[in-house]
Amino acid sequence: MKKLMELMAEELASAFEKAGYDPEYGKVTVSNRPDLCEYQCNGAMAGAKAYKKAPFMIADDVVAFLKDSNIFSVAEVVKPGFINLRVKEEFLAEYLCKMAADPKYSVNTAEQPKTIIIDYGGPNVAKPLHVGHLRSAIIGESIKRIGRFVGHKVIGDVHLGDWGLQMGLIITELKHRKPELVYFDDSFEGEYPEEAPFTISELEEIYPCASGKSKVDEEYRNEALEATHQLQQGKRGYMALWNHIMQVSVTDLKRNYNNLNVSFDLWKKESDAQPYIPDMVQQMKDQGFAYEDQGALVVDVKEESDTKEIPPCMLLKSDGASLYTTTDLATIVERVKLFDPDEILYVVDKRQELHFIQVFRCARKTGLVKPETELSFLGFGTMNGKDGKPFKTRDGGVMRLENLIADIDEEMFHKIVENRSVKDQDAKETAEIVGLSAIKYGDLSNQATKDYVFDIDRFTSFEGNTGPYILYTIVRIKSILNRYKEEGGNLDAGEILPAVNASQKNLMLELTKFGSTIENAFEEKAPHKICAYIYEVSNAFNSFYHETKILSEEDQAQKESFLKLLGLTKDILETSIDLLGFSAPDRM
């Protein structure tokens, strides 16, 4: 289905051509002066130099061919040569009827669908999710959903950190606390217990304790490094403990991600990439890319155009141990082998940009990916508190994600109960739905690459550019539609008719932008554009609602038209928030 802007541009291009000018000048933009017109064309201004003619003369020639337009009710020239445009109410109504009948409301399915892997989440096992994990999960989930909606095959991978020093620290601390455990008995040859020798709560206490010790006790740290090495060499008892750590951690991670309405297709781990490392490293040596530098194995990745120093990409440390770069490169090898993706997108903290520049360049230089395979980095900014510093708990610690969600839910619960709009037994469930919108919209409404202030008071408000305001708008529409249905009305009857007032036409024009907004949001990996769009739609709807008698309209055909328009507005808003990763309750 063609976008409204495309149809308008075709009409303008045709008029320019008929008037004897290059049709390329017939581009249309949304007016920056909505009090004067809805759209405008500045092509006459651009063509003045080429045709050695005053812009208003060119514009006059073009407008002469728009007098019988099916699309425009007004096409007038404003000096020095702007063409101001207004859309016919009849044409707009017909366009919205077609949108309503389109399963994707004018979003076109990609002609050449890609296979895209999104690497988002990235938690370390044995550690609780904290607010630092929020942005990757929320942004990655939204981009995954948008990509699928426009027709691509998008695969989400959590990419767990499970193979580093934290494993050696946990094993070492367990050994100190419970040396009698069978996992530490080298002579043991039987089956290890099925049940883990710790709970998730104990595990989450063990790691920071061990980490703290390793920073002040060099002997303890060396013991942990040795335990890490033995695990990576496949020591039987340590592998059994590792399996317990993984099982307990992943179960808890899935529960927490589920509370965020975030899901992954793959629960791949750093350890999954380990088998690919030896051959990959050997290949880089054989091809002459990898060389020794002060005992470490590195690949040069600097380029002549670099304006800052890009250090070599280190594959192996002097003791032969692998690093994050090694694991990330081996993960690319694994992904290419298993999925042959057209693009791999990493949604990670922007402070890791240098790391990914090194990894991407190394992967390309050494032929780990095809030349046409895209390796993309979406670096997000920091979530800060009101003091402008990274978000912390009141005592200065890093806040656990589940505690943040609980705080938001509690705030929403109090506001909903104060409103007395939902029965007490439903208020808790409603608060969780609205609370999630507050968190996700609060994050996603900011451009991903920028830092932002996480302000609970503002994000949970029912007014302004917030998730709860968007949901309140959807719930208001649902309430009107339900009331009409309860009164015996048929929501399938009738069709959208031409607008009867300015606020209705404004809402209709906003709805036509859905397709281009979604396609553009995917193209630019920019969920904030969807947030900005639904805020405009919500404002337009609420203006229309306050200025128009909907259910008390006496003309039945007009009433049915209003309700059809409400239905389309609801569908577009609900589709949009689903792409952002949250939903709306029935009441608030």
Side-chain angles (χ1 to χ4, degrees), residues 354-369:
L354 176 59
H355 166 79
F356 281 100
I357 287 173
Q358 292 174 304
V359 167
F360 291 173
R361 287 186 180 182
C362 186
R364 290 212 176 283
K365 183 175 183 176
T366 61
L368 300 187
V369 293

Side-chain angles (χ1 to χ4, degrees), residues 83-307:
I83 300 174
N84 285 359
L85 305 163
R86 287 190 182 274
V87 179
K88 279 184 177 174
E89 279 78 0
E90 295 79 10
F91 180 84
L92 184 56
E94 286 170 17
Y95 186 84
L96 284 188
C97 287
K98 289 175 187 170
M99 262 186 82
D102 183 340
K104 290 190 177 178
Y105 314 112
S106 80
V107 172
N108 292 321
T109 300
E111 289 179 12
Q112 294 179 308
K114 294 179 180 179
T115 297
I116 302 167
I117 294 176
I118 305 186
D119 184 320
Y120 65 107
N124 287 322
V125 299
K127 299 182 188 177
L129 288 178
H130 57 75
V131 292
H133 295 110
L134 187 70
R135 299 213 73 191
S136 179
I138 287 177
I139 297 165
E141 179 71 17
S142 181
I143 293 171
K144 179 186 76 178
R145 291 174 180 228
I146 300 166
R148 287 177 178 172
F149 192 76
V150 299
H152 298 292
K153 180 184 179 183
V154 188
I155 302 162
D157 183 6
V158 70
H159 193 64
L160 296 169
D162 72 324
W163 207 235
L165 178 59
Q166 86 260 29
M167 289 298 169
L169 287 166
I170 292 165
I171 290 168
T172 300
E173 183 59 22
L174 268 172
K175 190 173 183 179
H176 280 226
R177 293 184 184 193
K178 300 179 180 180
E180 74 284 357
L181 287 176
V182 69
Y183 309 95
F184 306 117
D185 180 357
D186 291 342
S187 64
F188 181 77
E189 294 180 356
E191 291 291 318
Y192 290 106
E194 286 187 17
E195 196 168 323
F198 43 72
T199 64
I200 185 65
S201 301
E202 289 169 333
L203 192 58
E204 288 174 356
E205 182 271 325
I206 286 169
Y207 173 73
C209 173
S211 179
K213 284 184 183 178
S214 72
K215 287 169 184 167
V216 295
D217 184 338
E218 193 173 343
E219 190 178 330
Y220 184 93
R221 179 175 172 80
N222 288 335
E223 192 181 338
L225 286 166
E226 179 56 27
T228 306
H229 179 68
Q230 288 184 9
L231 169 69
Q232 293 179 355
Q233 296 301 309
K235 184 170 180 174
R236 189 166 167 266
Y238 289 5
M239 285 300 294
L241 274 176
W242 175 82
N243 279 315
H244 286 316
I245 294 168
M246 291 305 299
Q247 189 179 356
V248 170
S249 282
V250 169
T251 300
D252 190 62
L253 285 170
K254 286 183 175 178
R255 178 183 64 82
N256 276 289
Y257 278 123
N258 189 51
N259 289 340
L260 266 182
N261 200 16
V262 168
S263 64
F264 301 93
D265 306 288
L266 304 175
W267 283 80
K268 286 284 188 179
K269 312 172 290 295
E270 281 184 298
S271 58
D272 289 324
Q274 298 304 307
Y276 296 91
I277 291 176
D279 286 351
M280 177 187 79
V281 169
Q282 190 59 49
Q283 184 182 326
M284 289 183 187
K285 284 180 178 177
D286 293 345
Q287 292 174 334
F289 293 119
Y291 66 93
E292 278 199 20
D293 182 11
Q294 297 178 347
L297 192 69
V298 301
V299 175
D300 279 330
V301 291
K302 64 185 177 193
E303 295 175 357
E304 284 184 18
S305 58
D306 289 338
T307 55

Side-chain angles (χ1 to χ4, degrees), residues 135 139 350 377-382 446-451 528:
R135 299 213 73 191
I139 297 165
K350 66 182 179 184
F377 169 77
L378 176 58
F380 53 79
T382 310
N446 298 277
Q447 191 171 334
T449 53
K450 294 184 177 175
D451 300 347
H528 72 278

Side-chain angles (χ1 to χ4, degrees), residues 417 522 552:
V417 170
F522 177 72
S552 59

